Amino acid sequence: MYKSRITGCGHFLPERIVKNSDLLEFMETSDEWIQERTGIEERRWIDPASGETTSTMGAKAAERAIAHAGLTKEDIDFIIFATLSPDMYFPGGGVRVQDILGMSTIGALDVRNQCSGFVYALSVADQFIKTGMYKNILVIGSENHSGGLEKSTRGRGVTVIFGDGAGAVVLSRSDDETRGLLSTHLHSEGAHAAQLSLLSPSTGRWVDEIMKDNDPDDISYYPYMNGQFVFKHAVVRFSEVINEALAVNNLTSSDIDLLIPHQANLRIAQFIQKKFGLTDDQVYNNIMRYGNTTAASIPIALSEAVDEGRVKQGDLVVMAAFGSGFTWASALFKW
Ligand code: UT7
């Protein structure tokens, strides 16, 4: 069995900054409410005139990750693309990246696990590396939330939280037994699927049905979140899946050098930080600047943490995520 490790990271964020106060243009809310409940100060939303999409942002983050790894696109054997906001219903974003970057006809796989999507994608990539099938895999998380949010007071409980952006890593085969990806842990509980969901258009409720019913209260084409329900499950599952990763590797929370939680809510990250007895320096948060970018949040945060010198060789790095599905997951690295 081979071992895998991250050899390159990159991220891309749209230039347009949307501050909390900017949201007042189209909804009743306040900077105070948003900061107090979520920690978010601003987020990036694609400027519609820019032509940027989930795939183009993913491709830009991927290019940066490949360069950071000291590789070229010819070295990449496979693409895994995680998103809940693909450019189109089908095909997915992986093939779009293959095309945009002008790569050879390598395989491209899409992962649909929302906020846990990047960690699930890492886990899939790890299996391909371990068996020796591939040497370098591009793992991308990218989201265009702003294109599909309800920009009115009715949608404020969801709309203020989400931002756009992309992050990517290259996961590579490594001969160094002492470092790399130690383990990944994946979970789901579909009984709560409806609590954080986007119901249509789907084969369960297609466009013509929505049009036929002409019901102004049918907003099933906007994301729905039962915030408090999700929050309560998130804090429990985050803790469980971090503990699981530590226990499997005979480690304890005092061994953690850096926790990169999915950026769902600063209050959730602070709860986890306290629970595991970590200092501010041991938890990487950027939700203040970018909001919740679901599958992109961990690779963006990792890429920034690496740029800032917050991850050093030999560090124990934990990634943990929870979200729609419900799904939750963790990955443990010796950097
Ligand atoms: O990434 C996937 C995982 N996601 C999460 O883990 C998110 C988990 N949930 C949360 O982060 C929080 O539940 C939210 C930040 C989404 C919401 O915070 P909350 O404290 O649970 O608020 P709430 O939904 O219970 O709403 C409280 C009040 C309501 O007013 P009333 O009914 O008490 O009069 C809402 O209408 O706040 C109102 N409200 C707002 N007010 C101003 C909801 N959204 C807003 C808003 N601005 N944007």
Side-chain angles (χ1 to χ4, degrees):
M1 285 278 228
Y2 294 98
K3 207 165 176 60
S4 62
R5 79 183 177 90
I6 290 176
T7 50
C9 306
H11 64 280
F12 173 84
L13 292 150
E15 275 175 25
R16 181 177 162 217
I17 296 171
V18 178
K19 294 188 173 300
N20 290 342
S21 56
D22 295 331
L23 299 171
L24 290 165
E25 272 174 44
F26 43 80
M27 65 170 67
E28 286 171 28
T29 186
S30 68
D31 179 45
E32 193 191 5
W33 190 97
I34 299 170
Q35 287 212 40
E36 195 184 298
R37 309 277 176 135
T38 70
I40 299 167
E41 294 166 25
E42 59 189 42
R43 74 284 296 137
R44 302 296 179 97
W45 279 1
I46 289 172
D47 176 351
S50 70
E52 213 69 78
T53 70
T54 300
S55 303
T56 62
M57 292 192 299
K60 285 174 183 165
E63 262 183 320
R64 292 174 185 179
I66 294 169
H68 186 234
L71 299 174
T72 68
K73 61 188 181 191
E74 285 75 28
D75 298 311
I76 302 298
D77 305 310
F78 194 59
I79 302 166
I80 307 183
F81 194 100
T83 190
L84 63 69
S85 53
D87 296 357
M88 44 188 137
Y89 195 84
F90 70 83
V95 297
R96 296 271 295 125
V97 170
Q98 180 271 336
D99 179 45
I100 294 166
L101 296 188
M103 301 171 94
S104 63
T105 57
I106 56 172
L109 171 75
D110 275 54
V111 166
R112 292 196 49 186
N113 284 71
Q114 300 70 247
C115 303
S116 311
F118 181 76
V119 183
Y120 265 77
L122 262 185
S123 180
V124 174
D126 185 39
Q127 312 314 311
F128 279 124
I129 303 261
K130 275 184 183 153
T131 58
M133 183 155 172
Y134 296 128
K135 273 189 182 163
N136 296 302
I137 302 179
L138 203 46
V139 184
I140 305 166
S142 183
E143 303 286 5
N144 167 7
H145 285 295
S146 64
L149 294 170
E150 185 179 25
K151 298 185 186 75
S152 72
T153 299
R154 187 172 62 175
R156 66 184 181 177
V158 171
T159 301
V160 302
I161 295 166
F162 293 99
D164 303 338
V169 302
V170 178
L171 196 74
S172 303
R173 184 190 294 178
S174 167
D175 299 325
D176 188 347
E177 278 296 316
T178 63
R179 47 200 281 247
L181 182 45
L182 301 180
S183 61
T184 55
H185 307 273
L186 313 177
H187 294 278
S188 72
E189 192 176 27
H192 303 313
Q195 304 299 328
L196 179 45
S197 55
L198 178 61
L199 296 180
S200 69
S202 65
T203 49
R205 185 161 179 76
W206 199 246
V207 180
D208 50 359
E209 285 176 69
I210 301 169
M211 305 279 280
K212 177 170 57 73
D213 292 351
N214 200 19
D215 174 2
D217 294 325
D218 178 1
I219 48 164
S220 57
Y221 43 82
Y222 287 125
Y224 167 77
M225 175 161 70
N226 181 349
Q228 294 198 6
F229 187 88
V230 175
F231 193 106
K232 283 178 195 152
H233 283 256
V235 289
V236 173
R237 297 310 193 183
F238 264 109
S239 304
E240 278 178 10
V241 84
I242 294 168
N243 274 326
E244 181 183 356
L246 293 171
V248 163
N249 292 283
N250 295 316
L251 297 164
T252 68
S253 55
S254 62
D255 295 306
I256 297 174
D257 291 298
L258 188 67
L259 168 65
I260 303 182
H262 159 54
Q263 304 291 292
N265 184 320
L266 190 60
R267 308 297 159 233
I268 294 176
Q270 287 168 336
F271 179 90
I272 303 299
Q273 173 178 338
K274 201 167 164 203
K275 180 152 190 187
F276 285 87
L278 302 173
T279 64
D280 288 351
D281 285 348
Q282 290 175 308
V283 183
Y284 195 89
N285 288 307
N286 60 12
I287 190 169
M288 306 74 86
R289 299 192 297 280
Y290 308 135
N292 179 345
T293 57
T294 52
S297 91
I298 289 180
I300 294 171
L302 173 68
S303 179
E304 285 197 335
V306 167
D307 286 351
E308 292 167 19
R310 295 270 300 269
V311 192
K312 295 175 294 299
Q313 188 168 329
D315 278 357
L316 189 75
V317 179
V318 187
M319 299 173 192
F322 173 88
S324 162
F326 292 154
T327 59
W328 59 103
S330 63
L332 199 61
F333 285 87
K334 189 84 176 162
W335 206 260

Coordinates of all heavy atoms in Angstrom, one line a residue, residues 23-24 27-34 36-40 84 114-116 145 152-162 196 225-235 238 262-268 287 292-295 297 321-324 326-327, ligand 1:
L23 N -26.2 43.9 2.3 CA -27.3 43.1 2.2 C -28.6 43.8 2.5 O -29.7 43.4 2.1 CB -27.2 41.9 3.1 CG -26.0 40.9 2.9 CD1 -25.9 39.9 4.0 CD2 -26.2 40.2 1.5
L24 N -28.5 45.0 3.2 CA -29.7 45.8 3.5 C -30.4 46.3 2.3 O -31.5 46.7 2.4 CB -29.2 46.9 4.5 CG -28.8 46.5 5.9 CD1 -28.0 47.6 6.6 CD2 -30.0 46.1 6.7
M27 N -32.9 43.2 1.8 CA -33.5 42.5 2.9 C -33.4 43.2 4.2 O -32.6 44.1 4.4 CB -32.9 41.1 3.1 CG -31.5 41.1 3.5 SD -30.9 39.5 4.0 CE -30.9 38.6 2.4
E28 N -34.3 42.9 5.1 CA -34.2 43.4 6.5 C -33.3 42.5 7.3 O -33.6 41.3 7.5 CB -35.6 43.4 7.1 CG -36.5 44.5 6.6 CD -37.9 44.3 7.1 OE1 -38.1 43.7 8.2 OE2 -38.9 44.7 6.4
T29 N -32.2 43.0 7.7 CA -31.2 42.3 8.5 C -30.3 43.3 9.1 O -30.6 44.5 9.0 CB -30.4 41.3 7.7 OG1 -29.6 40.5 8.5 CG2 -29.5 41.9 6.6
S30 N -29.3 42.9 9.8 CA -28.4 43.9 10.4 C -27.0 43.2 10.6 O -26.9 42.0 10.8 CB -28.9 44.3 11.8 OG -28.8 43.3 12.7
D31 N -26.0 44.1 10.5 CA -24.6 43.6 10.7 C -24.5 43.0 12.0 O -23.9 41.9 12.2 CB -23.7 44.8 10.5 CG -22.2 44.5 10.8 OD1 -21.8 43.4 10.2 OD2 -21.5 45.2 11.5
E32 N -25.2 43.6 13.0 CA -25.1 43.1 14.4 C -25.6 41.6 14.5 O -25.0 40.8 15.1 CB -25.9 44.0 15.3 CG -25.7 43.8 16.7 CD -26.7 44.6 17.6 OE1 -27.6 45.2 17.0 OE2 -26.5 44.5 18.8
W33 N -26.8 41.4 13.9 CA -27.5 40.1 13.9 C -26.5 39.0 13.3 O -26.3 38.0 13.9 CB -28.8 40.1 13.2 CG -29.6 38.8 13.5 CD1 -30.6 38.6 14.4 CD2 -29.5 37.5 12.8 NE1 -31.1 37.3 14.3 CE2 -30.4 36.6 13.3 CE3 -28.7 37.1 11.8 CZ2 -30.6 35.3 12.9 CZ3 -28.8 35.7 11.3 CH2 -29.7 34.9 11.9
I34 N -26.0 39.4 12.1 CA -25.2 38.4 11.4 C -23.9 38.1 12.1 O -23.6 36.9 12.3 CB -24.9 38.9 9.9 CG1 -26.2 39.1 9.2 CG2 -24.0 37.9 9.2 CD1 -26.1 39.8 7.8
E36 N -23.3 38.5 15.3 CA -23.5 37.8 16.6 C -23.8 36.3 16.5 O -23.3 35.5 17.2 CB -24.7 38.6 17.3 CG -24.8 38.2 18.8 CD -26.1 38.9 19.3 OE1 -26.1 40.2 19.3 OE2 -27.0 38.2 19.8
R37 N -24.7 36.0 15.5 CA -25.1 34.6 15.3 C -24.1 33.8 14.5 O -24.1 32.5 14.7 CB -26.5 34.6 14.5 CG -27.5 35.4 15.1 CD -28.2 34.8 16.2 NE -29.2 35.7 16.8 CZ -30.5 35.4 17.1 NH1 -30.9 34.2 16.9 NH2 -31.3 36.3 17.6
T38 N -23.3 34.4 13.6 CA -22.5 33.6 12.7 C -21.0 33.9 12.7 O -20.2 33.1 12.2 CB -23.0 33.7 11.2 OG1 -22.7 35.0 10.8 CG2 -24.5 33.5 11.1
G39 N -20.7 35.1 13.1 CA -19.3 35.6 13.0 C -18.9 36.2 11.7 O -17.8 36.7 11.5
I40 N -19.9 36.1 10.7 CA -19.6 36.6 9.3 C -19.6 38.1 9.3 O -20.6 38.8 9.8 CB -20.6 36.0 8.3 CG1 -20.5 34.5 8.3 CG2 -20.3 36.6 6.9 CD1 -21.7 33.8 7.6
L84 N -22.1 21.6 -4.4 CA -23.5 21.4 -4.4 C -24.2 22.4 -5.3 O -25.4 22.5 -5.5 CB -24.1 21.6 -2.9 CG -23.9 22.9 -2.2 CD1 -24.8 24.0 -2.7 CD2 -24.3 22.7 -0.7
Q114 N -22.1 18.0 -0.3 CA -22.3 19.4 0.3 C -21.1 19.8 1.2 O -20.0 19.7 0.8 CB -23.6 19.4 1.0 CG -24.8 19.1 0.1 CD -24.9 17.7 -0.4 OE1 -24.8 17.5 -1.6 NE2 -25.2 16.8 0.5
C115 N -21.4 20.2 2.4 CA -20.3 20.7 3.3 C -19.2 19.7 3.6 O -18.1 20.1 3.9 CB -20.9 21.2 4.6 SG -22.2 22.4 4.3
S116 N -19.6 18.4 3.5 CA -18.6 17.4 3.8 C -17.9 16.9 2.5 O -17.1 16.0 2.5 CB -19.2 16.1 4.4 OG -20.0 16.5 5.5
H145 N -22.8 30.0 -4.6 CA -24.0 30.1 -3.9 C -24.9 31.2 -4.3 O -26.1 31.2 -4.4 CB -23.8 30.2 -2.4 CG -23.4 28.9 -1.7 ND1 -24.2 27.8 -1.7 CD2 -22.2 28.6 -1.2 CE1 -23.5 26.8 -1.1 NE2 -22.3 27.3 -0.8
S152 N -34.0 38.3 -0.5 CA -35.1 39.0 0.0 C -35.2 38.7 1.5 O -34.5 37.7 2.0 CB -36.4 38.7 -0.7 OG -36.8 37.4 -0.2
T153 N -36.0 39.4 2.2 CA -36.1 39.2 3.7 C -36.6 37.7 3.9 O -36.1 37.1 4.9 CB -37.1 40.2 4.3 OG1 -36.6 41.5 4.1 CG2 -37.3 40.0 5.8
R154 N -37.5 37.2 3.1 CA -37.9 35.8 3.3 C -36.8 34.8 3.3 O -36.8 33.9 4.1 CB -38.9 35.5 2.1 CG -39.6 34.1 2.3 CD -40.7 33.9 1.3 NE -40.2 33.9 0.0 CZ -40.9 33.6 -1.1 NH1 -42.2 33.3 -1.0 NH2 -40.4 33.6 -2.3
G155 N -35.7 35.1 2.5 CA -34.6 34.1 2.5 C -33.4 34.5 3.4 O -32.4 33.8 3.4
R156 N -33.6 35.5 4.3 CA -32.4 36.0 5.0 C -31.8 35.0 5.9 O -30.6 35.0 6.1 CB -32.8 37.2 5.8 CG -33.8 36.9 6.9 CD -34.2 38.2 7.6 NE -35.1 37.9 8.7 CZ -35.6 38.8 9.5 NH1 -35.3 40.1 9.4 NH2 -36.5 38.4 10.5
G157 N -32.6 34.0 6.4 CA -32.0 33.0 7.4 C -30.9 32.2 6.7 O -30.1 31.6 7.4
V158 N -31.0 32.0 5.4 CA -30.0 31.2 4.7 C -29.0 32.1 3.9 O -27.8 32.0 3.9 CB -30.7 30.3 3.7 CG1 -29.8 29.6 2.7 CG2 -31.5 29.2 4.4
T159 N -29.6 33.2 3.2 CA -28.8 34.0 2.3 C -27.6 34.7 2.9 O -26.6 34.8 2.2 CB -29.8 35.0 1.6 OG1 -30.8 34.2 0.9 CG2 -29.1 35.8 0.5
V160 N -27.8 35.2 4.1 CA -26.7 35.9 4.7 C -25.5 35.0 5.0 O -24.3 35.6 5.2 CB -27.1 36.7 6.0 CG1 -28.3 37.6 5.7 CG2 -27.4 35.7 7.1
I161 N -25.7 33.7 5.0 CA -24.6 32.8 5.5 C -23.6 32.4 4.4 O -22.4 32.2 4.6 CB -25.3 31.6 6.1 CG1 -26.0 32.0 7.4 CG2 -24.2 30.5 6.4 CD1 -27.0 30.9 7.8
F162 N -24.1 32.3 3.2 CA -23.4 31.6 2.1 C -22.6 32.5 1.2 O -23.0 33.6 0.8 CB -24.3 30.6 1.3 CG -24.8 29.5 2.2 CD1 -26.0 29.5 2.7 CD2 -23.9 28.4 2.5 CE1 -26.5 28.5 3.5 CE2 -24.4 27.4 3.3 CZ -25.7 27.4 3.8
L196 N -31.9 20.3 5.6 CA -30.9 21.3 4.9 C -30.9 20.8 3.5 O -30.2 19.8 3.2 CB -29.5 21.2 5.6 CG -28.4 22.1 5.0 CD1 -28.8 23.5 4.7 CD2 -27.2 22.1 6.0
M225 N -33.0 25.6 5.2 CA -32.2 25.1 6.4 C -33.0 25.4 7.7 O -33.4 26.5 8.0 CB -30.8 25.8 6.5 CG -30.1 25.4 7.7 SD -28.3 25.8 7.6 CE -28.3 27.5 7.7
N226 N -33.2 24.3 8.4 CA -33.7 24.4 9.8 C -32.5 24.7 10.7 O -31.9 23.8 11.2 CB -34.4 23.1 10.1 CG -35.0 23.1 11.5 OD1 -34.8 24.0 12.3 ND2 -35.8 22.1 11.8
G227 N -32.2 26.0 10.8 CA -30.9 26.4 11.4 C -30.6 25.8 12.8 O -29.5 25.2 13.0
Q228 N -31.5 25.9 13.7 CA -31.2 25.4 15.0 C -31.1 23.9 15.1 O -30.2 23.4 15.8 CB -32.4 25.9 16.0 CG -32.4 27.4 16.1 CD -33.1 27.9 17.3 OE1 -33.5 27.2 18.1 NE2 -33.2 29.2 17.4
F229 N -31.9 23.2 14.3 CA -31.8 21.8 14.3 C -30.4 21.4 13.7 O -29.7 20.5 14.3 CB -32.9 21.2 13.4 CG -33.0 19.7 13.4 CD1 -33.8 19.0 14.3 CD2 -32.3 18.9 12.4 CE1 -33.9 17.7 14.3 CE2 -32.4 17.6 12.4 CZ -33.2 16.9 13.3
V230 N -30.0 22.0 12.7 CA -28.7 21.7 12.0 C -27.6 22.0 13.0 O -26.6 21.2 13.2 CB -28.5 22.5 10.7 CG1 -27.1 22.3 10.2 CG2 -29.6 22.1 9.7
F231 N -27.7 23.2 13.7 CA -26.7 23.6 14.6 C -26.5 22.6 15.7 O -25.3 22.2 16.0 CB -27.1 25.0 15.3 CG -26.0 25.7 16.0 CD1 -25.4 26.8 15.5 CD2 -25.6 25.2 17.3 CE1 -24.4 27.5 16.2 CE2 -24.6 25.9 18.0 CZ -24.0 27.0 17.4
K232 N -27.6 22.1 16.3 CA -27.5 21.1 17.4 C -26.8 19.8 17.0 O -26.0 19.2 17.7 CB -28.9 20.8 17.9 CG -29.4 21.9 18.8 CD -30.8 21.6 19.3 CE -31.5 22.9 19.8 NZ -32.9 22.9 19.7
H233 N -27.1 19.4 15.8 CA -26.5 18.1 15.3 C -25.0 18.4 14.9 O -24.2 17.5 15.2 CB -27.2 17.6 14.1 CG -28.5 16.9 14.4 ND1 -28.6 15.5 14.4 CD2 -29.7 17.4 14.9 CE1 -29.8 15.2 14.8 NE2 -30.5 16.3 15.1
A234 N -24.7 19.6 14.4 CA -23.4 19.9 14.0 C -22.4 19.8 15.1 O -21.4 19.1 15.0 CB -23.3 21.3 13.3
V235 N -22.7 20.4 16.2 CA -21.7 20.4 17.3 C -21.5 19.0 17.8 O -20.3 18.7 18.2 CB -22.2 21.4 18.5 CG1 -22.1 22.8 18.1 CG2 -23.6 21.1 19.0
F238 N -19.5 17.0 14.8 CA -18.1 17.5 14.7 C -17.2 16.9 15.8 O -16.1 16.4 15.5 CB -18.0 19.1 14.9 CG -18.1 19.9 13.6 CD1 -19.2 20.6 13.2 CD2 -17.0 19.9 12.8 CE1 -19.2 21.4 12.1 CE2 -17.0 20.7 11.6 CZ -18.1 21.4 11.3
H262 N -14.8 22.8 8.8 CA -15.7 23.4 7.8 C -16.3 24.7 8.4 O -16.7 24.7 9.5 CB -16.8 22.4 7.4 CG -18.0 23.1 6.8 ND1 -17.8 23.9 5.7 CD2 -19.3 23.1 7.1 CE1 -19.0 24.4 5.4 NE2 -19.9 24.0 6.2
Q263 N -16.2 25.8 7.6 CA -16.6 27.1 8.1 C -18.2 27.3 8.0 O -18.7 27.9 7.1 CB -15.9 28.2 7.3 CG -14.4 28.1 7.3 CD -13.8 28.4 8.7 OE1 -13.9 29.5 9.1 NE2 -13.3 27.4 9.4
A264 N -18.9 26.6 8.9 CA -20.3 26.6 8.9 C -20.8 27.8 9.7 O -21.8 28.5 9.3 CB -20.9 25.4 9.5
N265 N -20.2 28.1 10.9 CA -20.6 29.1 11.8 C -19.5 29.3 12.8 O -19.1 28.3 13.4 CB -21.9 28.7 12.5 CG -22.5 29.8 13.4 OD1 -21.8 30.5 14.1 ND2 -23.8 29.9 13.4
L266 N -19.1 30.5 13.0 CA -18.0 30.8 14.0 C -18.3 30.2 15.3 O -17.4 29.8 16.1 CB -17.6 32.3 14.0 CG -16.3 32.6 14.7 CD1 -15.1 32.0 14.1 CD2 -16.1 34.1 14.8
R267 N -19.6 30.3 15.7 CA -20.0 29.8 17.0 C -19.8 28.3 17.2 O -19.4 27.8 18.2 CB -21.5 30.1 17.3 CG -21.8 31.6 17.1 CD -21.1 32.6 18.0 NE -21.2 33.9 17.4 CZ -20.1 34.7 17.2 NH1 -18.9 34.3 17.6 NH2 -20.2 35.9 16.7
I268 N -20.0 27.6 16.1 CA -19.8 26.1 16.1 C -18.3 25.9 16.3 O -17.8 25.1 17.1 CB -20.3 25.4 14.8 CG1 -21.8 25.6 14.7 CG2 -19.8 24.0 14.7 CD1 -22.4 25.0 13.4
I287 N -14.3 32.3 8.2 CA -15.7 32.6 7.9 C -16.1 34.1 8.0 O -17.0 34.5 7.3 CB -16.7 31.7 8.8 CG1 -18.1 31.8 8.3 CG2 -16.6 32.1 10.3 CD1 -19.1 30.8 8.9
N292 N -20.0 31.0 4.6 CA -19.9 29.5 4.5 C -19.9 29.2 3.0 O -20.8 29.4 2.2 CB -21.2 28.9 5.1 CG -21.3 27.4 5.0 OD1 -20.5 26.8 4.3 ND2 -22.1 26.8 5.8
T293 N -18.7 28.6 2.6 CA -18.6 28.2 1.1 C -18.7 26.7 1.0 O -18.1 26.1 0.0 CB -17.2 28.7 0.6 OG1 -16.2 28.2 1.4 CG2 -17.2 30.2 0.6
T294 N -19.4 26.0 1.8 CA -19.7 24.6 1.8 C -18.5 23.8 1.4 O -17.5 23.8 2.1 CB -21.0 24.2 1.0 OG1 -20.9 24.8 -0.2 CG2 -22.2 24.8 1.7
A295 N -18.5 23.1 0.2 CA -17.4 22.2 -0.1 C -16.1 22.9 -0.3 O -15.0 22.2 -0.3 CB -17.8 21.4 -1.4
S297 N -15.0 25.3 1.6 CA -14.5 26.1 2.8 C -13.2 25.5 3.4 O -12.3 26.2 3.7 CB -15.6 26.2 3.9 OG -15.6 25.1 4.8
A321 N -15.9 18.2 9.0 CA -17.0 18.8 8.3 C -18.3 18.2 8.7 O -18.4 17.0 9.0 CB -16.8 18.8 6.8
F322 N -19.3 19.0 8.6 CA -20.7 18.5 8.8 C -21.7 19.3 7.9 O -21.5 20.5 7.8 CB -21.1 18.7 10.3 CG -22.6 18.4 10.5 CD1 -23.0 17.1 10.8 CD2 -23.6 19.4 10.4 CE1 -24.3 16.8 11.0 CE2 -24.9 19.0 10.6 CZ -25.3 17.7 10.9
G323 N -22.7 18.7 7.4 CA -23.6 19.5 6.6 C -24.7 18.6 6.0 O -25.0 17.5 6.5
S324 N -25.4 19.2 5.0 CA -26.6 18.6 4.4 C -26.4 17.1 4.1 O -25.3 16.7 3.7 CB -26.9 19.4 3.1 OG -27.7 18.6 2.3
F326 N -27.9 14.3 6.5 CA -26.7 14.9 7.0 C -25.5 14.0 6.6 O -25.7 12.8 6.6 CB -26.7 15.0 8.5 CG -27.7 16.0 9.1 CD1 -28.2 15.9 10.3 CD2 -28.1 17.1 8.3 CE1 -29.1 16.9 10.8 CE2 -28.9 18.1 8.8 CZ -29.4 18.0 10.1
T327 N -24.4 14.7 6.3 CA -23.1 13.9 6.2 C -22.1 14.6 7.1 O -22.2 15.8 7.3 CB -22.6 13.9 4.8 OG1 -22.4 15.2 4.3 CG2 -23.6 13.2 3.8
Ligands
UT7_1 O1 -22.8 24.3 6.6 C1 -23.7 23.4 6.9 C2 -24.0 23.4 8.3 N1 -24.7 24.6 8.7 C3 -24.8 24.9 9.9 O2 -24.2 24.3 10.7 C4 -25.6 26.1 10.3 C5 -26.2 25.9 11.7 N2 -27.2 26.9 12.1 C6 -26.8 28.2 12.3 O3 -25.7 28.6 12.1 C7 -27.9 29.1 12.9 O4 -29.0 28.4 13.2 C8 -28.3 30.3 12.0 C9 -27.1 31.3 11.9 C10 -28.6 29.8 10.6 C11 -29.5 31.0 12.5 O5 -29.3 31.5 13.8 P1 -30.3 31.2 14.9 O6 -29.8 31.8 16.2 O7 -30.6 29.7 14.9 O8 -31.6 32.0 14.4 P2 -33.1 31.5 14.1 O9 -33.1 30.9 12.7 O10 -33.6 30.7 15.2 O11 -33.8 32.9 14.0 C12 -34.0 33.7 15.1 C13 -34.7 35.0 14.7 C14 -36.0 34.8 13.9 O12 -36.9 35.9 14.3 P3 -38.0 35.6 15.4 O13 -38.9 34.5 14.8 O14 -37.3 35.1 16.6 O15 -38.7 36.9 15.5 C15 -35.6 35.0 12.5 O16 -36.6 35.5 11.7 O17 -33.8 35.8 13.8 C16 -34.5 36.1 12.6 N3 -33.5 36.1 11.5 C17 -32.9 37.2 11.1 N4 -32.8 38.4 11.6 C18 -32.0 39.3 11.0 C19 -33.2 35.1 10.7 N5 -32.2 35.5 9.8 C20 -32.0 36.8 10.1 C21 -31.2 37.7 9.5 N6 -31.2 39.0 10.0 N7 -30.4 37.4 8.5

